Amino acid sequence: MTSSPALNQPPPRVGSLLSRVSRAIRVRSETLLGPIGLRPRHLIALSVLRESGGTTQQALATTLEMDGTNVVGLLNELEGRGLIERRRAAQDRRRHVVELTEIGRLTLEKAESELAAVEDEVLTNLGKDQREQLYVLLQQAVGCAPNYAETLNEC
Amino acid sequence: MTSSPALNQPPPRVGSLLSRVSRAIRVRSETLLGPIGLRPRHLIALSVLRESGGTTQQALATTLEMDGTNVVGLLNELEGRGLIERRRAAQDRRRHVVELTEIGRLTLEKAESELAAVEDEVLTNLGKDQREQLYVLLQQAVGCAPNYAETLNEC
DNA sequence: TATTGTTATACTCTATAACTATA
DNA sequence: TATAGTTATAGAGTATAACAATA
């Protein structure tokens, strides 16, 4: 009896709002990441790889909701900069196992810390607790437990 | 002392997670909206117009984080289908005031109700309360009070 | 002269189809 | 025959530049 929009109705649609907030962050991130030579999508891929710790390209495509052909190009760019590593899977030599390199991990962390300013700006209406809350909700939505450090590979 | 990821650190970055969830919904929405002849971006624009109740194209471009030139094309499509209306502002005849038509409002509502299935699928890990919570956070992030019915034009 | 909207166009993103290699 | 990855390429999305009307 505390929430405002409706009392006992289906949950409201969040798609449009998600797009707007997501886009706001992405647009600003692009200009900020330019000098480093990275783009938002690179960070997304790197962050998925950090949390999954080694996936096949096809699984990555599914997770990123990207077409497999575009994952190839994305990984080429990341591999060219030494941020990720591709190696054939021993069990099935058709597959590439993709992993974050140490440089990739450090680069990701650095980029993330530089993006703090962007998110501070876009999410200025949210307090720290609310941003934490948002993070937990999104993390849960994509299927990871909030403290993903314990879940390791299954993300 | 209750949250898990960190105790007294800056809030975590949500950009990548936002992109992933947003994209997941968008991709599925595209296929579902196809038959109606609408696309996610149309819904986003319509929903902004519904809540702002009449803006200039430039303001719309800012809100949507879109280039003004692309807003023109987007509005052309919506106007062609009778979902929005453009009229010159009396005070400044350079400006177009853009408004949702009644057809536009009904079409938006119908599309939104059809998208329930999509969001149910993508947000299956979130309970109803959590989805409501997510909605409130996003609404607040974009600058609207949770119960925006009261705030009217300033959104 | 500056601003709102428009058009034309180049650039980037994304998906479709055909190919190679492994299974 | 089917699957993982790759390449080439066409379609959609986005931004840059030049223009018309109004201020």
Side-chain angles (χ1 to χ4, degrees), chain B:
Chain B
M1 203 89 60
T2 63
S3 63
S4 5
L7 291 185
N8 229 344
Q9 289 182 357
R13 303 298 109 76
V14 295
S16 294
L17 287 171
L18 269 172
S19 283
R20 289 177 55 192
V21 177
S22 171
R23 181 173 185 131
I25 293 178
R26 177 172 55 80
V27 167
R28 288 165 179 76
S29 299
E30 272 168 3
T31 68
L32 192 137
L33 290 175
I36 322 178
L38 287 179
R39 328 200 69 231
R41 61 163 44 140
H42 293 126
L43 262 58
I44 298 173
L46 290 176
S47 70
V48 166
L49 287 174
R50 175 176 58 190
E51 282 158 28
S52 68
T55 21
T56 167
Q57 293 190 194
Q58 195 171 272
L60 193 57
T62 305
T63 303
L64 295 174
E65 305 264 347
M66 282 179 69
D67 193 281
T69 61
N70 300 319
V71 172
V72 173
L74 186 61
L75 291 179
N76 285 347
E77 294 165 7
L78 293 173
E79 194 178 35
R81 297 197 41 181
L83 304 181
I84 62 121
E85 219 176 35
R86 277 192 264 217
R87 52 180 172 75
R88 291 280 176 188
Q91 308 90 339
D92 184 344
R93 292 188 46 74
R94 289 173 302 184
R95 297 187 172 181
H96 276 163
V97 174
V98 185
E99 266 179 330
L100 206 58
T101 64
E102 190 55 25
I103 303 177
R105 178 181 307 274
L106 294 174
T107 305
L108 173 57
E109 282 172 7
K110 180 166 175 250
E112 279 176 332
S113 76
E114 297 193 16
L115 286 179
V118 167
E119 299 205 0
D120 284 347
E121 182 189 342
V122 172
L123 304 177
T124 184
N125 285 339
L126 298 183
K128 193 193 161 193
D129 286 355
Q130 291 176 309
R131 286 178 61 177
E132 191 97 34
Q133 207 179 359
L134 179 60
Y135 174 80
V136 171
L137 287 172
L138 294 171
Q139 196 76 31
Q140 187 171 342
V142 300
C144 292
N147 34 4
Y148 56 84
E150 304 169 10
T151 65
L152 273 175
N153 232 341
E154 182 52 38
C155 182

Side-chain angles (χ1 to χ4, degrees), chain A residues 56-116:
Chain A
T56 166
Q57 292 189 198
Q58 196 172 274
L60 193 58
T62 305
T63 303
L64 295 174
E65 305 264 347
M66 284 179 70
D67 193 280
T69 61
N70 300 321
V71 172
V72 173
L74 185 61
L75 291 180
N76 285 347
E77 294 164 6
L78 293 173
E79 193 178 37
R81 298 197 41 180
L83 306 180
I84 61 121
E85 218 177 36
R86 278 192 263 215
R87 52 179 172 76
R88 291 280 175 185
Q91 308 88 343
D92 185 345
R93 292 188 46 76
R94 288 175 303 186
R95 295 187 174 179
H96 277 163
V97 174
V98 185
E99 266 179 330
L100 205 60
T101 63
E102 190 56 27
I103 303 176
R105 177 181 307 273
L106 294 174
T107 306
L108 173 58
E109 282 172 8
K110 181 166 176 249
E112 278 176 333
S113 78
E114 297 193 16
L115 286 178

Side-chain angles (χ1 to χ4, degrees), chain A residues 18-33:
Chain A
L18 270 171
S19 283
R20 288 176 56 194
V21 177
S22 170
R23 181 171 184 131
I25 293 178
R26 178 171 54 80
V27 168
R28 288 165 179 75
S29 299
E30 272 167 2
T31 66
L32 192 138
L33 290 175

